[in-house]
Amino acid sequence: MAQRPTKQLNVSELDFNQIKNNLKEFLRSQSTLQDYNFEGSALSTLIDVMAYVTHYNAVNANIGINETFLETAQFRGSVVGHARQLAYTPKSATGAVANVSVQVNNPNNNNLTLDKGHKFRTVIDNVTYTFVTTQSYNTTNAFFADVEIKQGTSKTTEYIFDVDSSEKFIIPDLNVDTSTLEVKVYDSVGSSTFTTFSPVKNINQVTSESPVYYLFESFDGRYEVAFGDGVLGAALVNGNYIELTYLVTDGPEANGATRFVSADNIEGNDNTTVTTISNSAGGAAKESIRSIKYNAPLSFLAQNRAVTPDDYRAVIQENFNNANSIVVWGGEDNDPPQYGKAFVSIIPKVGDILSTQERDQIINDILRPKSVVSV
């Protein structure tokens, strides 16, 4: 009858060689193998295999446990999944923005329209980038004074809704700029009647009839569009035709462009002079894993409102891409105090200071709808 081992196996080691040594010590503690030469025997190979399997399983278990927590997760899919539980959607890539004026020379008509999606081109380091208008502009003197253009290529993805299908509405392009996403739902294929759906900003304002969509990043880095269920947002019906239109951007690669030319004609006029008002800036890559880990908990704590300094910082980080560092303080900390005011200092990623358009965007579009009445 074999004797019970006198030495217990140490299971706290993760190093391969230490696991192997522990196995040898364990076997030597048994009377039948006390004098066995483990270094020069075939059994040494078997011990190597056992140590390898033990080490492999230990590493996998360690990685698996790490991925179950936001703070220790390493894979983007895991980090995004934890952020989704906190109602946080990572920022997508963002196209650079520039402002130009356009003079139409020798026009056939002074009353002109610069259509949305009109293309402009620029060259940076021998690479050509396409910019497009994000809205339409009208003029009565053949001169467009201040036109905003954004870098990217327009694409469209289409789906047909089936209530019995588990199909997800995925945007297939990884470098989509979700701020340019337009979601239209038609009654059916071939129908000219459609409803434009808007992204959810405040869940408390969503009703069973609200035409809204929810945006998530999926585990593979692509963005997914989801619709309401008839309680939190209007529900779709069988046969609805879904059209997703968006820009695919090169992010920060198109920052710093100084000269642009029109790539399309304007109502048949192709003789144009484009003058740059502000160089392209604000282009950014998709939010990093490190940034998601930092911003997701802060966004959850802010609860879509700006009250404390941390709330202001979280709201700006979530909605504004050209911020490298943000400091926020209340006016009561100033000398002399300025009660009822919040002060924000931002070091931009691109440029030395924020542009007037960026400051207006932060104040009017990001902070003002979320701040309390007294601020």
Side-chain angles (χ1 to χ4, degrees), residues 159-169 224 237-239:
Y159 291 97
I160 298 177
F161 182 76
D162 183 356
V163 70
D164 296 323
S165 172
S166 59
E167 180 181 25
K168 295 182 178 181
F169 308 115
E224 172 189 347
V237 299
N238 274 339

Side-chain angles (χ1 to χ4, degrees), residues 343-356:
F343 292 84
V344 181
S345 178
I346 299 177
I347 298 177
K349 292 179 180 178
V350 179
D352 296 324
I353 60 174
L354 298 179
S355 66
T356 301

Side-chain angles (χ1 to χ4, degrees), residues 2 15 19 25 69 80 93 131 142 163 171 180 251 255 283 286 292 311 334:
D15 180 71
I19 292 173
E25 291 299 323
F69 300 95
V80 167
F131 284 68
V163 70
I171 300 174
T180 65
N255 288 333
K286 181 183 291 188
I292 297 171
D311 294 342
N334 280 5

Side-chain angles (χ1 to χ4, degrees), residues 313-330:
R313 185 164 57 249
V315 167
I316 296 173
Q317 287 278 17
E318 184 176 358
N319 296 279
F320 184 70
N321 287 314
N322 191 28
N324 188 45
S325 178
I326 302 174
V327 176
V328 183
W329 68 95

Side-chain angles (χ1 to χ4, degrees), residues 74-301:
Q74 299 297 314
F75 297 107
R76 185 178 182 90
S78 302
V79 174
V80 167
H82 293 304
R84 183 168 177 172
Q85 293 179 345
L86 297 176
Y88 182 80
T89 300
K91 295 187 289 289
S92 70
T94 305
V97 176
N99 290 81
V100 298
S101 62
V102 182
Q103 174 68 60
V104 180
N105 303 314
N106 303 317
N108 50 30
N109 182 8
N110 283 336
N111 297 318
L112 299 172
T113 298
L114 187 64
D115 293 327
K116 177 181 178 180
H118 185 96
K119 296 184 183 67
F120 294 82
R121 291 200 173 93
T122 186
V123 177
I124 303 176
D125 295 333
N126 296 321
V127 179
T128 300
Y129 297 95
T130 299
F131 284 68
V132 298
T133 53
T134 55
Q135 66 182 57
S136 297
Y137 296 87
N138 297 309
T139 184
T140 58
N141 60 1
F143 179 72
F144 300 93
D146 190 0
V147 177
E148 181 182 279
I149 56 178
K150 193 164 195 174
Q151 191 273 322
T153 304
S154 181
K155 288 195 174 183
T156 300
T157 300
E158 303 162 346
Y159 291 97
I160 298 177
F161 182 76
D162 183 356
V163 70
D164 296 323
S165 172
S166 59
E167 180 181 25
K168 295 182 178 181
F169 308 115
I170 302 294
I171 300 174
D173 298 279
L174 288 173
N175 288 332
V176 57
D177 183 344
T178 57
S179 67
T180 65
L181 177 62
E182 293 184 359
V183 179
K184 295 180 180 179
V185 177
Y186 292 78
D187 294 339
S188 61
V189 177
S191 173
S192 60
T193 303
F194 67 87
T195 301
T196 299
F197 279 59
S198 303
V200 172
K201 296 297 184 183
N202 188 343
I203 195 68
N204 295 321
Q205 298 175 354
V206 176
T207 69
S208 60
E209 302 296 329
S210 300
V212 296
Y213 67 86
Y214 301 86
L215 189 66
F216 310 103
E217 184 178 333
S218 60
F219 70 94
D220 63 353
R222 292 173 172 81
Y223 285 88
E224 172 189 347
V225 175
F227 297 92
D229 56 359
V231 178
L232 292 175
L236 303 190
V237 299
N238 274 339
N240 279 163
Y241 174 70
I242 303 167
E243 184 180 84
L244 310 177
T245 305
Y246 50 89
L247 290 181
V248 178
T249 179
D250 293 289
E253 302 299 325
N255 288 333
T258 59
R259 298 180 62 184
F260 299 88
V261 295
S262 176
D264 296 332
N265 65 66
I266 302 175
E267 295 190 20
N269 299 282
D270 53 12
N271 185 1
T272 59
T273 301
V274 180
T275 303
T276 303
I277 299 174
S278 62
N279 298 342
S280 63
K286 181 183 291 188
E287 186 172 9
S288 67
I289 292 176
R290 181 179 179 182
S291 177
I292 297 171
K293 287 183 177 182
Y294 177 79
N295 289 324
L298 290 178
S299 176
F300 180 75
L301 290 175

